[in-house]
Amino acid sequence: MANTRRKRHAAAFKAKVALEAVKQTRTLAELARTFQVHPVQISQWKKQLLDGAESLFADGRRREHDQSEALQAELYQQIGRLNMEVEWLKKKLPAAADLKRPLVEPEHPHLSIRRQCQLLGLSRST
C-alpha cells in the first residue's frame, strides 16, 4: 500500500486557483493540469470563494462602532455612579480632621496614602 499523504495547500494558493476558476478564461481541466489539483477540488474552492465574497464587503466597521459606543456609554454610566458615590461619601464624613485621620490605611494594597487623603478631604501633612 502506497503512503499517500494529503496535500495541504496554503490559503493564498487556494485563492489564486479559485480566482482563476471564477475568471473562466480556462477550463477546470486546464486549471487542474496547470496547478496539479483535482478539478473537483477547484470547484469546491470556487464555490467557497463565491459564497464568502459577500462577507468581504459586509460593513464590519459599523458593528465595531456600535460595540465601542455601547462600551463607552457603559463606562460613562460607571463614572457617573462612582462620582455620585464619592460625593455622597464626602457628605457623610465627619468634618473634623481628628475623626478622619483614623480612616487612612497606610498599608492599603491599592490606594496610596495621598489618594486616601484626597478622598477624605485631608491634607497629607495632618
Side-chain angles (χ1 to χ4, degrees):
M1 182 183 234
N3 185 8
T4 56
R5 284 187 43 159
R6 275 192 165 177
K7 282 188 178 179
R8 298 242 180 221
H9 300 287
F13 176 75
K14 292 177 184 179
K16 179 180 175 182
V17 174
L19 281 174
E20 287 293 323
V22 168
K23 289 179 189 176
Q24 294 182 343
T25 56
R26 296 189 277 176
T27 65
L28 285 178
E30 291 172 340
L31 290 172
R33 268 193 311 273
T34 303
F35 294 107
Q36 297 177 349
V37 178
H38 198 277
V40 173
Q41 186 67 63
I42 294 174
S43 297
Q44 289 175 349
W45 291 344
K46 178 182 173 183
K47 184 179 183 311
Q48 285 179 334
L49 177 69
L50 293 176
D51 290 346
E54 183 179 329
S55 66
L56 292 174
F57 298 104
D59 194 8
R61 292 173 293 179
R62 182 69 186 159
R63 183 178 37 228
E64 291 172 6
H65 180 68
D66 291 344
Q67 289 173 346
S68 67
E69 280 184 350
L71 177 62
Q72 186 177 15
E74 182 182 336
L75 291 174
Y76 277 128
Q77 183 180 10
Q78 188 176 9
I79 289 170
R81 183 173 34 83
L82 291 172
N83 281 337
M84 186 236 356
E85 290 171 356
V86 167
E87 292 301 318
W88 177 84
L89 180 62
K90 284 183 180 179
K91 288 179 188 176
K92 297 292 181 179
L93 282 176
D98 293 337
L99 298 175
K100 291 181 185 178
R101 218 174 282 125
L103 299 175
V104 175
E105 300 175 22
E107 302 300 321
H108 195 280
H110 302 293
L111 288 173
S112 66
I113 293 175
R114 169 187 258 166
R115 182 66 181 142
Q116 290 180 49
C117 289
Q118 284 176 340
L119 291 171
L120 292 170
L122 285 173
S123 65
R124 260 185 54 216
S125 63
T126 61

